[in-house]
Amino acid sequence: MRLVAEPYAQKRKQFINLVIKYVKKGSGSSLEFLNSRSWTYPVANLNEIIKQANFVVVGDVATRLYMPERMTLDLDILVKAEDAKLVYEDLENAKGQKVGDLSIASTQWRLGDGKALVVWAFDGDWVVEAVNSPNYAPDGLPVIDLPYLVLMKLIAGRSQDIADISRMLGVAEDWQLGRVRMAIGRYLPSALEDLDSLVVLGRLEQG
């Protein structure tokens, strides 16, 4: 499935405007906390399971590389749509069980150790770029690069996703912000204005 936007653009804009209206300078967490990075909570060793295709960790677990860690049991990965069957084969070979379809583009699995996994399978140039150019977690898992994580969260449109973007971009370096803007400008240009607002909001909260 090709990931396209923007079903939640108006909702996102309303949420951002509301938060900016009430946020106070320096009202967020300390800079020391916001700059902390950890990989404390256990994650399934997918490198030992998925061997026939490339993948990247996305979702809440992926944010650990870009903002303070929060406990989550949700594990999501992104794969190219053309590789989905290979990934499913690997999961089944590792005693994983398919629980069901969450949407046209995602399936839910139960791994052999009992952990839950959601596999997202999309088409598109950005997916190829994201899957082929990951960052790496301390345990060696490939994690989606910041520009593509922001892209996915913008399209998802949940209030938590918007809050995550603000927190990640509020402490991002200028060179990182430049890369994020380039990706959003290419794949979701209608969100550029909101992106700049989220950067301002993130920096305002940290003072």
Side-chain angles (χ1 to χ4, degrees), residues 16-91:
I16 293 171
N17 289 338
L18 180 64
V19 175
I20 289 178
K21 181 178 180 180
Y22 290 102
V23 70
K24 297 179 180 179
K25 184 177 181 180
S27 61
S29 302
S30 69
L31 267 178
E32 181 180 3
F33 173 75
L34 290 173
N35 283 309
S36 65
R37 302 290 181 269
S38 60
W39 198 268
T40 305
Y41 301 109
V43 181
N45 189 0
L46 296 178
N47 288 326
E48 293 296 319
I49 297 174
I50 301 174
K51 301 178 179 180
Q52 298 187 76
N54 292 333
F55 70 92
V56 285
V57 174
V58 297
D60 292 343
V61 171
T63 65
R64 297 178 183 183
L65 288 189
Y66 310 109
M67 61 183 249
E69 181 178 22
R70 64 170 180 264
M71 183 177 180
T72 177
L73 299 178
D74 299 328
L75 181 57
D76 298 63
I77 63 172
L78 171 70
V79 303
K80 292 180 288 187
E82 64 191 58
D83 292 336
K85 289 184 178 180
L86 296 175
V87 172
Y88 301 159
E89 286 180 8
D90 284 340
L91 291 172

Side-chain angles (χ1 to χ4, degrees), residues 192-206:
L192 275 173
E193 182 179 348
D194 290 342
L195 183 74
D196 289 336
S197 296
L198 288 168
V199 174
V200 171
L201 176 59
R203 291 185 170 177
L204 182 62
E205 285 186 309
Q206 62 175 275

Side-chain angles (χ1 to χ4, degrees), residues 1 13 15 29 37 40 44 47 65 84 89 110 115 127 132-133 138 152-153 155 164 167 179 189 191 193-194 198:
M1 175 182 177
K13 192 174 295 291
F15 178 80
S29 302
R37 302 290 181 269
T40 305
N47 288 326
L65 288 189
E89 286 180 8
R110 182 71 58 187
K115 291 186 176 68
V127 180
N132 290 340
S133 57
M152 292 189 73
K153 284 183 170 290
I155 293 171
D164 285 346
R167 173 160 282 190
R179 293 182 64 242
E193 182 179 348
D194 290 342
L198 288 168

Side-chain angles (χ1 to χ4, degrees), residues 83-196:
D83 292 336
K85 289 184 178 180
L86 296 175
V87 172
Y88 301 159
E89 286 180 8
D90 284 340
L91 291 172
E92 290 171 350
N93 291 336
K95 298 183 180 179
Q97 293 183 328
K98 183 179 177 181
V99 177
D101 296 320
L102 296 180
S103 70
I104 296 175
S106 66
T107 55
Q108 186 172 22
W109 293 75
R110 182 71 58 187
L111 300 178
D113 62 2
K115 291 186 176 68
L117 171 71
V118 174
V119 179
W120 295 90
F122 290 118
D123 292 314
D125 291 342
W126 76 269
V127 180
V128 175
E129 294 172 9
V131 171
N132 290 340
S133 57
N135 285 324
Y136 288 92
D139 60 5
L141 280 177
V143 177
I144 192 168
D145 199 9
L146 181 60
Y148 307 106
L149 179 58
V150 171
L151 175 64
M152 292 189 73
K153 284 183 170 290
L154 281 170
I155 293 171
R158 300 178 306 170
S159 58
Q160 183 60 60
D161 290 313
I162 302 304
D164 285 346
I165 294 172
S166 177
R167 173 160 282 190
M168 291 188 294
L169 298 186
V171 293
E173 301 289 342
D174 287 342
W175 66 269
Q176 293 175 305
L177 293 177
R179 293 182 64 242
V180 171
R181 287 192 177 98
M182 285 181 62
I184 301 307
R186 180 178 179 184
Y187 295 114
L188 194 63
S190 60
L192 275 173
E193 182 179 348
D194 290 342
L195 183 74
D196 289 336

